[in-house]
Amino acid sequence: MRFSRYFLPVLKETPAEAQIVSHRYMLRAGMIKQASAGIYSWLPLGFRVLRNIERIIHEEQQRAGHLPILMPTLQSAELWRESGRYDDYGQEMLRITDRHGRDMLYTPTAEELVTDIFRAHVTSYKDLPLTLYQIQWKFRDEIRPRFGVMRGREFYMKDGYNFDIDAEHALHAYNRHMVSYLRSYERMGLKAIPMRADSGPIGGEDTHEFLVLAETGESEVFYDSAITELSLGAREIDYSDWDQCALIAREWTTPYARTDETHDQALFEREVPEERRRVSRGIEVGQIFYFGTKYSAPMGATVTNDRGEQVPVHMGSHGIGVSRLVGAIIEASHDERGIVWPEGVTPFHAGIVNLRQGDAETDRACEDIYAALTEAGLEPLYDDREERAGAKFATMDLIGLPWRITVGPRGLKNGVVELTCRRTGESEELSPELAVARIREIYAGS
RNA sequence: CGGGGCGUAGCGCAGCCUGGUAGCGCGUCUGUUUUGGGUACAGAAGGUCGUGAGUUCGAAUCUCGCCGCCCCGACCA
C-alpha cells in the first residue's frame, strides 16, 4: 500500500477525550473514530488489525475442530424469556421494539440462540461432541463506557458453545478451549494468563478468565510469577487427545493466579513463595465457562443417549473480546513514540521510508523493494509522501510497524538501505536485496 | 444512576468573571525554501461559538431547559 493512496489520518495532537495509551494511540494513528459513547467506526488501519486478530482466532478455533457459524445481532425476546434471562439481564441489554410491537434485543451473548439451533437439529448422542462458534458484534449497554475500544458498548467478540454428552466430555471441551485460547494469544504476541474467576450473568460452575498484564487493566490480579514463564512454543497439539489437553490446562492452572474477585490472600501466601508473588493489574481478554445443563435443561436441548434415555446436554461457552484485544495489545506493547505491533497482528509487515521523495534513484529503489516484498506475499506500507524524513519516521513509529526499511540517497551511494526493528530500535545497513530477504525470513511460516 | 467537568475552525486551546459581533498553535491549500528524526518564510481557505428559549439596543459571554461527550464510583468480553 502506498501511503499517498491510503486513508491514514494521523494526528499530531491527542484528542482530549482519550485517557489511556491505547485509546490515544488508536486515535492518533487513525485506527478508529468515535461515533458515539462506546461505539466506534474502524478506519482502514484499525480494521486491518481487527481482521488479523479475527483471522488468528478463526484459524485456531478450526484447528481445534470448532465450527464457525454466524448468528444475528438482533434477536427476538422470546427465547430469552424461555431461559429466564430476559428479565435477569437487566439494563445492560439493549431492548428494541419492532413495528409490530414485538420485543427484540441486540444480542449481548448468544447461549439462547445457539441452543435453539442445537435442539432443532441434534437429537442423538452420536452427533456429539459439537462446538459452534461465531465472531460477531455484540452490544452491552454499559453504564459507563470508557477507554476507547477496551470498554465499548458495541464490541466485536468471538463466542463459542460446546455441546457434550456428559460432564467428562464437557471437561475435555473446557480444556481444549483453554489450549486453543493460549495458542491464539501467543500468536498475537500476548502473554495472557488464565485465572480462576466468577461466572457472572452467564452462570455456571467452572470458569477461567484470561488476563493480559497491563498497568491500565481494570482488574487487580495476584499470581505466581512462574506462570509468566510458561509457553506453548512450537509444541504439537492433538486436540482430540484428552490427556494432552488436560495436562496443558493443568500446567497453566496450577500456579496461583486469581483476580480480586476470587483472590484468597491466605492461600496465596501459603502456596507461593514470597519472591514469586506478584500483584498487578490485568485486562480481561477472554473467558471460558462450563455450566452443565443450565440452558439445555430449561430449553429442552436434549439428546438420546446410548441407553435410549433423553438427557440434557452439557454445555460450556467461551468468549474472546476481539475488538478489546486491539486495545489490549497496544497496552501491552508500546513506547513513548507509539505502538509496537507484534508481527502476528501488524497491519502491514514492513514500512518503507523514502527519505528523498522525487529523487529518481531513491524512488526507484523504493519501488523495487515494494515490488519484491509484494512479490513475496507480504504487505508493505510505502511512505511516498512529500514529507521530511522526521515526519515520516514519526509517523512510522506512531503506527508501529515492526520493521522499517529506510531508503535514502546517502545509503544508496554505498548500495545499502537501513533495516530497523521498531521494538529494539536497532538498525543495520544492508543491500536492498538482503533487507527484503530478512523480512521474508521474519515472516516465514506465518 | 450519584458526584465532578467540558462543548468556540479538522485537532489542541484562549476569549466568558467585567456583554459591543471571535483569536492562537498545529493541520489543510498556494508559492518559495529545506531535505538522514515532526524545516523556514510569505500568502490563503476554514467557525450558525452544541441546541432551544429568555434577559438586553446588543449574547460565545448572563439566566433556564434540552442534547452530547469526558472523568470518579457501583457493573462488565
Side-chain angles (χ1 to χ4, degrees):
Chain A
M1 180 59 65
R2 285 173 168 75
F3 202 118
S4 61
R5 303 212 197 130
Y6 204 42
F7 179 56
L8 185 45
V10 297
L11 304 174
K12 216 165 167 177
E13 284 167 298
T14 303
E17 74 269 17
Q19 298 297 312
I20 63 168
V21 66
S22 60
H23 192 193
R24 286 201 295 267
Y25 283 154
M26 287 182 78
L27 290 169
R28 286 198 51 211
M31 295 175 66
I32 51 169
K33 161 106 174 63
Q34 180 168 336
S36 62
I39 301 177
Y40 293 85
S41 298
W42 292 77
L43 307 186
L45 191 76
F47 191 44
R48 270 183 172 264
V49 177
L50 190 72
R51 282 281 179 255
N52 286 342
I53 293 171
E54 181 181 8
R55 195 195 65 240
I56 289 172
I57 295 171
H58 270 304
E59 287 172 5
E60 291 303 326
Q61 286 305 300
Q62 287 171 55
R63 195 197 295 254
H66 307 158
L67 304 173
I69 60 173
L70 188 61
M71 294 180 278
T73 52
L74 293 177
Q75 302 182 0
S76 162
E78 241 172 272
L79 281 171
W80 288 70
R81 291 210 173 90
E82 206 176 317
S83 71
R85 284 210 294 180
Y86 190 68
D87 297 320
D88 292 351
Y89 221 99
Q91 290 293 298
E92 210 176 273
M93 187 156 73
L94 181 66
R95 293 147 207 266
I96 303 160
T97 308
D98 75 7
R99 68 194 300 167
H100 303 291
R102 282 190 286 253
D103 294 326
M104 310 281 293
L105 56 93
Y106 196 121
T107 175
T109 171
E111 280 83 2
E112 281 79 359
L113 200 60
V114 78
T115 304
D116 185 54
I117 292 168
F118 178 88
R119 70 182 173 186
H121 300 293
V122 180
T123 52
S124 161
Y125 76 99
K126 290 177 184 165
D127 296 326
L128 302 182
L130 178 65
T131 299
L132 302 174
Y133 79 95
Q134 67 171 346
I135 298 179
Q136 174 64 296
W137 291 95
K138 303 289 186 303
F139 197 93
R140 291 185 193 169
D141 200 359
E142 299 281 345
I143 297 167
R144 188 157 86 84
R146 62 186 125 170
F147 302 150
V149 299
M150 299 270 284
R151 176 180 294 294
R153 291 194 293 170
E154 187 182 48
F155 57 98
Y156 203 43
M157 176 182 163
K158 174 264 171 181
D159 49 320
Y161 309 87
N162 66 283
F163 303 89
D164 288 279
I165 187 65
D166 56 28
E168 285 68 42
H169 285 78
L171 176 65
H172 171 57
Y174 190 88
N175 292 335
R176 197 176 64 227
H177 277 87
M178 184 170 292
V179 176
S180 71
Y181 276 28
L182 289 170
R183 272 196 73 121
S184 302
Y185 295 126
E186 245 181 60
R187 282 186 62 186
M188 294 170 204
L190 281 178
K191 188 124 306 216
I193 305 174
M195 301 196 179
R196 186 162 298 284
D198 270 345
S199 57
I202 310 277
E205 300 156 26
D206 211 350
T207 176
H208 281 86
E209 278 174 349
F210 293 79
L211 280 285
V212 172
L213 299 176
E215 311 89 69
T216 44
E218 292 190 80
S219 316
E220 192 171 23
V221 298
F222 304 81
Y223 64 96
D224 179 342
S225 66
I227 199 166
T228 57
E229 309 298 318
L230 298 175
S231 161
L232 283 171
R235 259 186 250 205
E236 279 293 317
I237 289 160
D238 177 359
Y239 283 104
S240 61
D241 183 337
W242 285 33
D243 292 338
Q244 190 193 15
C245 291
L247 237 105
I248 294 172
R250 190 175 320 140
E251 194 180 339
W252 259 266
T253 53
T254 302
Y256 189 97
R258 295 193 182 192
T259 65
D260 42 9
E261 291 172 337
T262 56
H263 176 58
D264 177 340
Q265 186 65 30
L267 185 67
F268 187 44
E269 287 172 13
R270 189 161 66 243
E271 274 195 1
V272 187
E274 191 166 0
E275 69 277 9
R276 296 211 319 246
R277 282 181 215 148
R278 298 284 184 278
V279 180
S280 172
R281 302 198 69 82
I283 303 165
E284 295 165 34
V285 293
Q287 188 161 8
I288 54 178
F289 301 89
Y290 164 67
F291 45 67
T293 60
K294 177 182 160 87
Y295 297 92
S296 56
M299 293 185 67
T302 60
V303 293
T304 310
N305 70 11
D306 57 1
R307 292 188 299 278
E309 303 156 345
Q310 292 285 324
V311 293
V313 292
H314 285 248
M315 293 175 60
S317 74
H318 335 87
I320 297 183
V322 181
S323 47
R324 172 179 283 185
L325 271 166
V326 180
I329 290 169
I330 296 171
E331 290 295 330
S333 181
H334 68 271
D335 61 22
E336 67 290 339
R337 295 197 307 265
I339 302 165
V340 182
W341 291 117
E343 275 87 358
V345 300
T346 184
F348 293 97
H349 296 102
I352 302 168
V353 169
N354 185 337
L355 292 175
R356 186 78 63 89
Q357 205 69 45
D359 176 82
E361 201 189 336
T362 314
D363 287 358
R364 199 183 38 197
C366 288
E367 292 292 345
D368 288 348
I369 292 169
Y370 185 87
L373 287 171
T374 306
E375 186 68 25
L378 297 170
E379 295 180 296
L381 179 66
Y382 170 25
D383 192 345
D384 61 344
R385 294 174 300 167
E386 298 286 345
E387 287 283 356
R388 282 178 60 92
K392 292 190 176 186
F393 289 143
T395 300
M396 277 296 169
D397 289 345
L398 174 64
I399 68 174
L401 306 186
W403 298 93
R404 185 183 83 203
I405 298 178
T406 308
V407 184
R410 200 182 291 171
L412 286 179
K413 220 168 273 162
N414 305 316
V416 297
V417 297
E418 195 179 67
L419 179 64
T420 307
C421 173
R422 174 69 180 85
R423 185 172 296 278
T424 63
E426 283 164 19
S427 288
E428 64 178 303
E429 295 200 325
L430 66 192
S431 72
E433 294 73 26
L434 265 175
V436 169
R438 284 288 309 282
I439 304 240
R440 290 186 62 162
E441 230 170 83
I442 288 159
Y443 288 102
S446 67

